[in-house]
Amino acid sequence: MKKLLTVAFALAVLAGVFLFHTASAQQLQPWNVVADVSCQGKTFHYDLSKEMQPYVENCNNRGFFLGAKGKQNLAENLQAQGLPFDAVAEYVLPGFDNFVKKFSFVNVQKKDASVLFDKEGFHYKKGNDGVWADRQKLFEMLLKSNGKHLSLQLPLATDKAVTVQELQRNTVKKGSFTTSFNSANANRCHNIAKATESLNGITVPDGEQFSFNDIVGKRTKERGYLDAKVIVDGNYTDGVGGGVCQVSTTLYNALLLSEILPKACQHSLVSSYVMAGFDAMVSDGGADLTFVNNTGSALYICGKVNSSQGTVTFTVYGVPNAYRVERENSETREPFGVVEIVDPQKYPELVYTDQTKVVVNGSDGVRSQSFLCFYDGEKLVERKLFRKNTYKKVDKVVARGSLERPCLQNPQDATAEG
């Protein structure tokens, strides 16, 4: 029995010695880097003492036996000499690159949210941030091992994607404008609707030029446009595409309210659907409505026609305006006169003096100045003169019959004839 106790004691002493030497061995390796790194339920082990074996003959040159601070200084000095981080990390901690690759399952490619604008309006699609293992931070964390066995969570690097909310902040309503027309005039109503439909859903990228004529195209019968009143040489006459200038004018004013100053041409006569100095005449191969988008972001144009109410509306979307914009004008008018003509040969249907027909609509002569007023809240920041216009005066011409209508002698006869 005494012998058995002696053997047991000896074994216990040997075991203690073994544990002491094991602990001592760990304490004698402060240079070693040992860590378990976890991410998404997976854990991978790194041990410098094993990874450095293929290079053991040159361990001293590689600095494997340096402590945490020594390794950190070595890495900083090598990078200061122009060596890339990946090469330095692999030099100081061999196998580091392959170790990081084990976490490739966390990699997510960045995808920005996107916006689609069409005739139905805005459609947004969510994106996602880019994610991957943060090599630099992981390297720095491993160097802090100091011979201790670390348990680490994989540090992640992210690249923030553009969000739907950010896109929505850059797709706000900048300006909107509405004009009215006679919905009973079917041809004019048709032309306005057709031109507006061409412009609805248009995106103007940042830095690009917009051209009304390029987008709407030629106003011809072959392309579906109809005859309606147009202004030619200072007179109203029938022409293909009448009403399209009201579309360009409505868009022009929506752009002005959006802090965009397009290039536009005036009519020879003042328009009935917008105040003087705020019209925008267009013609095939001639006058155009143009601007360059210099807002720093895309512009989006929405055009709608309400045929029953006789209105056309344009709304411009993009980055928020710096100011609230209002339009003003000052004008002096020379009222048109009325000229009566009698021409039985040209107007045989006009027999009596109480039978009349408007041959030429009158239009006041107008001199105008146009202003844009920029407000910060209720405070006027700037009142900018940007146009001076002169519109031609055209007298109204009325054709009339030449004969006095005969009076009936007997009122009863008139009743009987009725």
Side-chain angles (χ1 to χ4, degrees):
M1 182 66 177
K2 185 176 181 180
K3 186 176 181 180
L4 288 174
L5 291 173
T6 302
V7 171
F9 177 79
L11 290 174
V13 171
L14 289 173
V17 172
F18 175 77
L19 291 173
F20 172 80
H21 278 289
T22 302
S24 298
Q26 290 179 346
Q27 292 173 359
L28 292 175
Q29 294 181 348
W31 51 268
N32 200 15
V33 175
V34 183
D36 289 323
V37 182
S38 302
C39 184
Q40 297 181 7
K42 295 184 179 181
T43 301
F44 298 99
H45 182 74
Y46 181 87
D47 187 336
L48 172 60
S49 65
K50 295 180 180 179
E51 297 291 342
M52 72 185 210
Q53 290 306 311
Y55 318 99
V56 69
E57 294 181 0
N58 299 313
C59 280
N60 291 330
N61 295 334
R62 296 288 288 270
F64 297 148
F65 297 115
L66 295 173
K69 189 62 177 179
K71 288 185 175 68
Q72 183 179 350
N73 290 338
L74 174 62
E76 290 175 355
N77 290 335
L78 291 174
Q79 289 185 84
Q81 296 175 32
L83 294 175
F85 166 75
D86 286 346
V88 171
E90 190 66 23
Y91 183 84
V92 176
L93 297 181
F96 179 78
D97 184 61
N98 287 332
F99 182 69
V100 176
K101 286 179 179 178
K102 294 178 180 180
F103 296 96
S104 60
F105 61 87
V106 306
N107 295 349
V108 178
Q109 186 174 5
K110 184 184 81 167
K111 185 177 181 181
D112 289 332
S114 59
V115 56
L116 172 66
F117 182 72
D118 57 23
K119 296 183 183 301
E120 303 303 319
F122 287 101
H123 310 274
Y124 300 94
K125 187 175 182 179
K126 291 183 179 180
N128 57 262
D129 295 338
V131 180
W132 63 92
D134 189 332
R135 301 170 68 89
Q136 178 81 46
K137 192 169 184 180
L138 177 61
F139 178 73
E140 294 171 357
M141 292 170 70
L142 290 176
L143 290 185
K144 295 178 181 179
S145 172
N146 285 318
K148 299 177 182 179
H149 192 152
L150 299 180
S151 293
L152 306 172
Q153 287 295 317
L154 179 71
L156 298 176
T158 59
D159 186 7
K160 292 294 184 181
V162 175
T163 65
V164 168
Q165 291 73 21
E166 289 172 321
L167 291 178
Q168 289 173 333
R169 288 196 290 269
N170 290 334
T171 52
V172 302
K173 183 170 77 171
K174 294 175 67 64
S176 185
F177 194 77
T178 299
T179 60
S180 300
F181 57 88
N182 182 5
S183 58
N185 189 330
N187 284 10
R188 183 179 177 84
C189 184
H190 168 85
N191 292 339
I192 289 174
K194 184 172 178 61
T196 301
E197 180 66 11
S198 299
L199 293 158
N200 184 35
I202 291 296
T203 298
V204 185
D206 181 44
E208 291 198 8
Q209 177 168 296
F210 168 92
S211 165
F212 182 96
N213 285 340
D214 285 351
I215 294 173
V216 174
K218 292 185 177 297
R219 280 73 81 183
T220 63
K221 289 186 176 180
E222 291 74 17
R223 298 190 67 246
Y225 284 92
L226 304 177
D227 284 332
K229 291 294 183 183
V230 296
I231 300 174
V232 178
D233 296 330
N235 293 292
Y236 288 99
T237 185
D238 286 333
V240 178
V244 173
C245 285
Q246 183 164 353
V247 176
S248 58
T249 293
T250 308
L251 174 59
Y252 175 64
N253 282 267
L255 290 167
L256 292 177
L257 297 176
S258 304
E259 298 185 321
I260 298 165
L261 186 58
K263 293 181 179 179
C265 300
Q266 71 161 89
H267 290 88
S268 55
L269 304 182
V270 69
S271 300
S272 61
Y273 45 79
V274 72
M275 63 184 177
F278 287 92
D279 58 323
M281 179 187 71
V282 292
S283 62
D284 284 349
D288 198 1
L289 172 65
T290 63
F291 68 89
V292 174
N293 178 9
N294 57 5
T295 64
S297 185
L299 287 171
Y300 308 91
I301 297 174
C302 174
K304 299 294 181 184
V305 170
N306 188 323
S307 297
S308 62
Q309 296 183 2
T311 60
V312 54
T313 301
F314 275 96
T315 304
V316 179
Y317 298 89
V319 294
N321 290 352
Y323 300 102
R324 174 171 57 87
V325 184
E326 293 188 5
R327 304 168 311 126
E328 288 184 5
N329 81 333
S330 63
E331 60 181 52
T332 57
R333 285 183 174 260
E334 181 184 3
F336 65 85
V338 178
V339 178
E340 292 188 355
I341 62 172
V342 176
D343 191 340
Q345 291 186 346
K346 192 171 185 180
Y347 306 103
E349 72 277 14
L350 304 177
V351 178
Y352 301 109
T353 56
D354 61 354
Q355 293 179 309
T356 61
K357 179 179 181 179
V358 176
V359 178
V360 176
N361 286 308
S363 181
D364 289 346
V366 178
R367 291 180 181 274
S368 67
Q369 292 184 324
S370 303
F371 300 88
L372 291 177
C373 300
F374 300 90
Y375 289 87
D376 183 2
E378 297 304 315
K379 180 182 178 181
L380 177 62
V381 176
E382 181 183 9
R383 186 171 184 261
K384 179 178 181 180
L385 172 64
F386 72 100
R387 276 179 64 168
K388 293 183 178 181
N389 298 103
T390 300
Y391 299 91
K392 181 181 178 181
K393 179 176 78 74
V394 175
D395 287 334
K396 183 177 182 178
V397 178
V398 179
R400 183 183 300 277
S402 60
L403 301 178
E404 291 291 335
R405 187 179 291 275
C407 294
L408 295 175
Q409 297 297 321
N410 191 341
Q412 292 181 356
D413 292 340
T415 303
E417 288 180 0

